[in-house]
Amino acid sequence: MSQPEKIKVALLGAGNVGSQVARILLEDSDLIRQRIGVPAELIGIAVRDTEAPRQVPLAAALLTDDAEVLIDQADVVIELTGGIEPARTRILRALHAGKPVVSGNKALLAKHGQELQAAANQNGVQLSFEAAVAGAIPILRPLRDSLAGDKITRVLGIMNGTTNFILDQMDTTGAQFNDVLKEAQRLGYAEADPTADIEGYDAASKAAIVASLAFHSEFTIDDVHCEGITSITAHDVQAAKDDGFVIKLLAICELDGDGVNIRVNPTLVPQEHPLASVHDAYNAVFVEAENAGELMFYGPGAGGAPTASAVMGDFVSLARRMVLGGAGVPESNHAALQSTPMAAVVSRYSVGLIVEDKLGVLANIARIFAEHGVSIQTMRQTKFEKDGQFSAALRIVTHQAADSNLRKTMAVVDSLDAVRSIASVIRVEGK
Amino acid sequence: MSQPEKIKVALLGAGNVGSQVARILLEDSDLIRQRIGVPAELIGIAVRDTEAPRQVPLAAALLTDDAEVLIDQADVVIELTGGIEPARTRILRALHAGKPVVSGNKALLAKHGQELQAAANQNGVQLSFEAAVAGAIPILRPLRDSLAGDKITRVLGIMNGTTNFILDQMDTTGAQFNDVLKEAQRLGYAEADPTADIEGYDAASKAAIVASLAFHSEFTIDDVHCEGITSITAHDVQAAKDDGFVIKLLAICELDGDGVNIRVNPTLVPQEHPLASVHDAYNAVFVEAENAGELMFYGPGAGGAPTASAVMGDFVSLARRMVLGGAGVPESNHAALQSTPMAAVVSRYSVGLIVEDKLGVLANIARIFAEHGVSIQTMRQTKFEKDGQFSAALRIVTHQAADSNLRKTMAVVDSLDAVRSIASVIRVEGK
């Protein structure tokens, strides 16, 4: 390909991030021209409804509801619509026409990433998606390039801003989940339908994308064990605090023998751990590699302008490549690792039980844990009276135990007459 | 260029980092082949003395003292010797022969970076140097690529592990600078000749490299205002602690009107600031950009294996590019900003004075500050007696003031009969 005179950009979507990308392409066109070597021209923005009100004023002449025609006229496509279809078909249309694509669509990439990547490789063009994980924080590029000569052993972090905001508020105010969720919705931190965030699906999509890059293998969201935060109560948060912990929703991808365990779950993090001081909607990701050691990346995990910054970084990088010639770097999947089942995953647990206040109950429960190979680190008992009934709240923190052993233990504990309820079972990270 | 069958690597230097790069190239050759697409063969290691003892056992057949012949036989050159010459001449030899170069030589890059970059651009090859700044922490690539579509306003951080180790030890143990330096040398954290670290030159080199990339301009170490930590006393550290601060050696590069101010100086950082909890020889860098907001990168700032990880990331990335074809991405210097003088730089200051314990001294000093436009935020007086003489230790923390105003203030204060000595003048970052 000879050097282009300019690069024509088609933008799909004009929402929170899309409108900011349009603004930057228009406002900073001089700077972008200088960095790429040739001008980048925003030739149009495909939207569902060209008449809908916009957060950022966009020239009516730029708006179109015919995405296909727009894609066919462009040199590069930036897809920021979200959802599986028609995003998937449109991205494939661009890639098959030899046009590089920048996308921030984590749900699509976590489900059909392999298909899209194969289309990109087949056509020798770049598919970039830094904006799909952790907003403005550069995390995919460090995994893909900076650590390309190292062996990553674990990636762990807070990858969803909405749930971090909710858990942080619960920790600060002592309020219940549902009340904080309503407040988060009012403030715009949570969507009207918060399912994808609070059930952990959003973080699970990001974990699948991260694990694929970190371990040079192909993972989808179906490989991710996913638990959300809907069952976390104000009582859990307070009990964690009393024990010196903060509850965070962590995404964890770790090498596990010849496989990779990928999971999203609420986790107790020691108060002195750096992840414990990640507040509001911020994200933070730890990467552990054999030679590099432990690295940490921190920043705004969401928001229009920060995410648009990640999109623009991808765009300028691949546009520079178009000007210089040479194919895009294909994704590496040489390791072809499989995801491992949860049963074998080893971690510490914090277990909350409500039991009858009766002699021998505590000893009996301790025996059941021991019989299943789950070693108890600390056990704390608080007696209380409710409706004339005497009970004890037990809080047990275990040493490292296999998920399957813990599950078997809890099944037996649950069957005891003296156990009124299992209040919570939450994993623990850190020393 | 047609796709090479293999990539022949010449390694210059077998010290702390070089020997680790050799180890990785040999031990992880399968993995590197899979990531690049073709094998990478270490064809030789140029050293000064082929008979010298090595930290990592290296096959004698690989060692040579003829770097020029080795470079001429290679496809890629990895330079890890340090110092200006012969490193500069050797890198130019490789670049002019169309061979990409990876270097970790911060002193060279901070002095002759423009000349080397011009040679790389002229020959369409890549010159990569992630390892020159902050060890394993990916910082140059995020500045260069991830933030390529954003406007960086400030980069600030701890970029020298040795001085952070020393200051951290002084803070923890209360010991004097010289004692901690000796201990750091004994433990291998400081070199036998520690000048480059403790005088701030090493951090200043890194600041020049970072500023050039962040602001798309050409800066050398001569553009960096540099103050080391040799004058920091145990008393300064204790006084900072009493006021809720920690002393850190910060490298700061910030957009300042139409220029960039680049400086390295000891700085008071509030204890609750994330930089305050960077311990031992770790590094941490904050990047502020218009759209991305504030990002933080943290990790091991030195050490053989971590720095080798950064070298290998550069190597695998550019080797992939060689396999795919297309020129290396040239450095962008379109902004062509100049460095600004210190006089106009505005910051807060912490000033320590020893004065006569006499009525009116405090008021007189406060008046001098005010007359020079330096507003005092807090003033603390501690009286003490030494050798029968009554004195007062004054600790003044100012609001934001121009460097030139503060200097004039201190000159007048110093001339007062009632002022016995100026104990310290240290800048303050954070709220």
Side-chain angles (χ1 to χ4, degrees), chain A residues 99-378:
Chain A
K99 299 171 183 190
V101 172
V102 179
S103 173
N105 192 331
K106 50 214 148 204
L108 174 62
L109 287 156
K111 205 169 164 67
H112 297 287
Q114 278 81 54
E115 181 191 19
L116 301 178
Q117 202 59 66
N121 296 353
Q122 189 188 322
N123 294 285
V125 293
Q126 195 92 36
L127 169 65
S128 301
F129 41 91
E130 182 68 74
V133 179
I137 310 172
I139 178 69
L140 301 189
R141 198 176 298 273
L143 291 177
R144 207 174 182 274
D145 297 334
S146 309
L147 292 162
D150 207 333
K151 282 177 277 187
I152 294 170
T153 49
R154 192 157 97 126
V155 182
L156 165 155
I158 296 168
M159 299 191 195
N160 178 273
T162 304
T163 47
N164 199 62
F165 178 86
I166 292 173
L167 291 171
D168 191 36
Q169 286 290 309
M170 289 176 74
D171 189 67
T172 317
T173 64
Q176 285 291 0
F177 173 78
N178 277 320
D179 298 331
V180 176
L181 172 59
K182 273 185 210 122
E183 179 69 2
Q185 286 173 316
R186 197 182 64 76
L187 293 169
Y189 283 106
E191 291 178 45
D193 176 0
T195 314
D197 290 319
I198 62 178
E199 296 294 353
Y201 306 147
D202 175 84
S205 289
K206 292 163 178 171
I209 294 170
V210 161
S212 299
L213 287 178
F215 300 105
H216 301 267
S217 299
E218 298 183 346
F219 299 110
T220 72
I221 191 167
D222 299 331
D223 293 308
V224 185
H225 170 86
C226 179
E227 298 169 32
I229 64 164
T230 52
S231 64
I232 302 294
T233 63
H235 180 264
D236 291 334
V237 171
Q238 185 57 48
K241 208 178 225 176
D242 294 343
D243 289 343
F245 291 102
V246 178
I247 301 182
K248 295 290 187 186
L249 184 68
L250 297 192
I252 302 173
C253 319
E254 61 188 345
L255 204 57
D256 176 13
D258 286 334
V260 177
N261 183 260
I262 317 171
R263 63 187 190 272
V264 169
N265 53 237
T267 313
L268 295 186
V269 176
Q271 276 159 0
E272 64 278 10
H273 191 284
L275 285 175
S277 17
V278 175
H279 299 293
D280 298 329
Y282 276 81
N283 280 194
V285 182
F286 278 83
V287 179
E288 294 169 22
E290 236 177 61
N291 293 308
E294 190 174 70
L295 306 171
M296 204 255 268
F297 304 80
Y298 169 88
T307 310
S309 171
V311 170
M312 290 304 301
D314 275 352
F315 168 68
V316 169
S317 295
L318 64 78
R320 279 195 298 226
R321 175 52 47 210
M322 292 171 79
V323 170
L324 292 167
V329 177
E331 225 48 79
S332 150
N333 59 2
H334 68 81
L337 302 179
Q338 303 293 310
S339 66
T340 59
M342 282 303 290
V345 169
V346 165
S347 59
R348 292 168 62 214
Y349 289 86
S350 168
V351 174
L353 301 174
I354 307 297
V355 302
E356 283 178 34
D357 181 21
K358 216 168 63 177
L359 213 64
V361 172
L362 202 144
N364 196 25
I365 289 172
R367 184 186 50 78
I368 293 167
F369 272 71
E371 280 174 4
H372 288 87
V374 180
S375 165
I376 292 174
Q377 185 183 36
T378 62

Side-chain angles (χ1 to χ4, degrees), chain B residues 24 48 68 77 138 147 161 187 264 284 295 310 391 406 415 431:
Chain B
I24 297 171
R48 233 175 324 198
E68 280 66 33
V77 173
L147 292 162
L187 293 170
V264 169
L295 306 171
S391 301
L406 195 278
S415 71
K431 307 288 172 309

